């Protein structure tokens, strides 16, 4: 997750600009038994506490929904932009930033959401204003924001925009875009920031490439050829490499972060849509959307450890939610996202055809629980809602509010 990580291959999601948030109350191997958390894993890969809550992005409910992972109960509902797509969450799990993709070309904003409060911090338009040599002012808007990721140690995020094929640098304190980079590519979606925080890697689904952007100057430094339809990405928590899911060629590309090149490509299941690593990096879990299962790979040997099957939808459910893209999906529940649990012993998979979360025990590689979730889930994250300072806002929220003191909050 991912870190947190964005795929929108279904072509089913309609989005609009954000509104104010409201809160409505291979060879056999030994089983995995968890491991130490390392930096670079998706948000939430830390020691589990009873206060951890799942954050689910709902495309159909136009909201962020919080769920108790122990009971499956919905605990909070934040209305954001129409059909939001991706979410990035601060390391303390208290502030979320969500992309408002919009309907066709209309989405061009992100929302900052305080997960501990009842209101939106603010909506930030994705536009850049520049003064021309003749002193005239030009404003450029960017549309259909897709992938989003925090820069380590900073109150800044990078956001990919599909329409223009661009990567934006957004300062959450100043609440504005402070840098933009055209990627010379099409279908820009998932984005990952490397361990150093110096480079961003952007998957370009329609171009079949990965763009490398140097963040201090927002400059495109390289385009890496990848497999067909690159989408979901994950940064290995220990090694300096990125795994990339290629939806059209049913393969995984391994990108060497230091050399900024594809090291190898190997086969996986049908239409991989997302990837996450166990906290120690030993295993990679790959979501196969078309087959409706999870491939578990040994990340060192790249050999498959096992397949985890997800519950199929009924014939009636499949007919009610047809897939508008090539390929035979049968009764696949259409898994789209995977996220490691905070305890490092479980993983959670969101399925958008059945509106469910599937909990996988990493010691047995079995689905141990299935629970209802928000309608058409598109992304997952973790929030630590029960911390002792839960009534305070996070530093991002406090500073942003201080900057906007005296301003009327957006409606």
């Amino acid at each position: 997750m991912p870190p947190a990580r964005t795929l929108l291959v279904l072509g089913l999601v309609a989005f609009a600009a954000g509104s104010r948030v409201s809160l409505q109350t291979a060879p056999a191997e030994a089983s995995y038994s968890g491991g130490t958390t390392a930096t670079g894993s998706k948000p939430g890969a830390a020691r589990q506490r009873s206060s951890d809550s799942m954050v689910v992005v709902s495309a159909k409910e136009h909201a962020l929904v919080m769920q108790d992972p122990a009971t499956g109960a919905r605990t909070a509902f934040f209305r954001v932009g129409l059909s939001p797509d991706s979410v990035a969450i601060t390391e303390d799990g208290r502030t979320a930033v969500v992309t408002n993709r919009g309907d066709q070309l209309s989405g061009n904003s992100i929302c900052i959401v305080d997960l501990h409060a009842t209101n939106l911090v603010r909506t930030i338009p994705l536009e850049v204003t520049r003064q021309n040599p003749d002193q005239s002012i030009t404003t450029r808007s960017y549309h259909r924001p897709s992938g989003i990721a925090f820069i380590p140690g900073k109150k800044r995020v990078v956001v990919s925009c599909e329409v223009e094929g661009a990567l934006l640098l957004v300062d959450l304190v100043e609440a504005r875009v402070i840098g933009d980079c055209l990627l010379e590519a099409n279908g820009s979606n998932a984005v990952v920031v490397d361990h150093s925080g110096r480079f961003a890697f952007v998957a370009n689904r329609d171009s079949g490439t990965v763009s490398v952007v140097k963040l201090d100057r927002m400059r495109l430094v390289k385009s890496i050829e990848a497999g067909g339809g690159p989408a979901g990405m994950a940064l290995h928590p220990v090694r300096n490499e990125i795994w990339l899911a290629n939806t059209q060629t049913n393969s995984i590309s391994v990108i060497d972060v230091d050399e900024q090149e594809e090291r190898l490509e190997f086969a996986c299941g049908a239409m991989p849509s997302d990837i996450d690593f166990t906290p120690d990096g030993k295993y990679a879990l790959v979501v196969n959307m078309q087959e409706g299962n999870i491939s578990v790979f040994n990340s060192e040997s790249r050999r498959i450890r096992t397949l985890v099957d997800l519950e199929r939808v009924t014939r009636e459910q499949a007919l009610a939610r047809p897939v508008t893209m090539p390929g035979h999906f049968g009764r696949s529940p259409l898994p789209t996202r995977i996220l490691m649990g905070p305890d490092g012993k479980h993983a959670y998979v969101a399925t958008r055809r059945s509106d469910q979360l599937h909990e996988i025990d990493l010691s047995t590689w079995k689905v141990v629980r299935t629970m209802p979730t928000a309608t058409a889930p598109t992304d997952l994250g973790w929030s630590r809602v029960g911390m002792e300072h839960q009534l305070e806002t996070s530093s991002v929220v406090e500073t942003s509010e201080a900057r906007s003191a005296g301003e009327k909050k957006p409606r």
Side-chain angles (χ1 to χ4, degrees):
M1 253 168 166
R5 21 187 198 26
T6 297
L7 171 68
L8 283 170
V9 298
L10 292 179
L12 302 175
V13 186
F15 296 80
S19 58
R20 184 162 183 171
V21 174
S22 61
L23 173 63
Q24 301 177 347
T25 26
E29 298 181 11
S31 296
Y32 179 70
S33 58
T36 359
T37 299
T39 58
S41 56
K42 291 185 179 181
R47 178 179 292 274
Q48 186 175 15
R49 294 172 303 278
S50 60
S51 58
D52 288 314
S53 289
M54 177 77 76
V55 177
V56 183
V57 180
S58 171
K60 294 295 184 182
E61 298 181 50
H62 322 302
L64 296 186
V65 176
M66 295 178 67
Q67 283 185 254
D68 184 334
T71 65
R74 182 179 293 198
T75 58
F77 179 93
F78 298 83
R79 182 76 69 183
V80 291
L82 293 179
S83 298
D85 177 38
S86 300
V87 66
I89 299 178
T90 52
E91 187 177 349
D92 63 10
R94 303 175 66 188
T95 303
V97 187
V98 61
T99 56
N100 297 320
R101 234 174 99 80
D103 182 15
Q104 297 182 1
L105 301 183
S106 64
N108 71 326
S109 66
I110 60 174
C111 288
I112 306 176
V113 180
D114 181 1
L115 297 174
H116 291 215
T118 60
N119 64 326
L120 172 69
V121 177
R122 68 193 324 166
T123 297
I124 302 175
L126 298 179
E127 57 187 29
V128 178
T129 300
R130 291 187 174 91
Q131 186 173 29
N132 302 315
D134 62 359
Q135 304 305 307
S136 63
I137 302 296
T138 301
T139 298
R140 176 168 188 173
S141 294
Y142 290 92
H143 302 86
R144 293 180 75 79
S146 185
I148 185 168
F150 271 95
I151 298 177
K154 296 183 181 293
K155 297 172 180 134
R156 294 175 176 178
V157 293
V158 284
V159 180
S160 63
C161 295
E162 286 195 9
V163 173
E164 293 80 13
L167 184 71
L168 309 181
L169 178 61
V170 183
D171 190 299
L172 301 179
V173 176
E174 297 183 17
R176 66 183 182 92
V177 178
I178 61 173
D180 57 339
C181 177
L182 294 177
L183 305 176
E184 302 173 3
N186 299 315
S188 303
N189 53 92
V191 57
V192 164
V193 176
D194 74 343
H195 292 299
S196 71
R198 297 173 56 234
F199 294 94
F201 292 74
V202 186
N204 305 303
R205 185 179 58 248
D206 299 337
S207 299
T209 61
V210 174
S211 300
V212 185
V213 177
K214 197 169 189 298
L215 294 176
D216 61 350
R217 297 181 178 272
M218 287 302 290
R219 178 172 60 89
L220 177 66
V221 296
K222 193 170 187 179
S223 292
I224 305 170
E225 292 292 329
M233 292 198 297
L235 177 66
H236 193 279
V238 179
R239 298 193 296 272
N240 222 14
E241 64 185 32
I242 292 169
W243 283 37
L244 172 68
N246 300 309
T247 62
Q248 296 173 8
T249 51
N250 299 334
S251 63
I252 302 297
S253 293
V254 179
I255 306 295
D256 187 310
V257 171
D258 296 322
E259 299 297 327
Q260 297 178 355
E261 64 183 19
E262 184 185 57
R263 184 185 302 161
L264 59 92
E265 182 178 350
F266 59 94
C268 67
M271 196 171 287
S273 64
D274 198 22
I275 303 173
D276 204 1
F277 291 98
T278 53
D280 60 1
K282 183 176 182 180
Y283 294 104
L285 282 71
V286 180
V287 175
N288 302 313
M289 183 189 296
Q290 188 171 343
E291 294 179 354
N293 58 25
I294 310 299
S295 297
V296 180
F297 288 93
N298 182 305
S299 70
E300 191 75 44
S301 66
R302 279 91 182 186
R303 301 183 69 174
I304 193 163
R305 166 68 175 83
T306 190
L307 282 175
V308 181
D309 289 319
L310 303 177
E311 182 182 358
R312 320 303 282 178
V313 297
T314 64
R315 177 179 173 80
E316 290 72 25
Q317 285 177 306
L319 291 174
R321 295 192 183 182
V323 180
T324 58
M325 54 185 306
H328 177 67
F329 288 81
R331 291 167 52 197
S332 167
L334 302 185
T336 54
R337 285 289 181 270
I338 187 166
L339 184 66
M340 287 296 127
D343 60 359
K345 298 178 181 179
H346 299 84
Y348 295 82
V349 180
T351 52
R352 62 175 300 159
R353 208 180 203 177
S354 57
D355 304 330
Q356 289 182 322
L357 289 174
H358 304 257
E359 182 180 354
I360 300 173
D361 186 326
L362 302 184
S363 66
T364 62
W365 304 115
K366 301 291 184 183
V367 176
V368 294
R369 191 162 54 120
T370 300
M371 66 189 91
T373 190
T375 309
T378 59
D379 205 1
L380 300 173
W382 288 102
S383 172
R384 304 169 188 176
V385 298
M387 298 170 67
E388 59 183 19
H389 302 300
Q390 67 182 57
L391 297 181
E392 299 178 4
T393 53
S394 72
S395 57
V396 170
V397 173
E398 289 173 341
T399 310
S400 297
E401 291 285 54
R403 285 293 185 99
S404 59
E407 295 180 14
K408 186 177 180 180
K409 288 187 179 181
R411 294 187 178 274

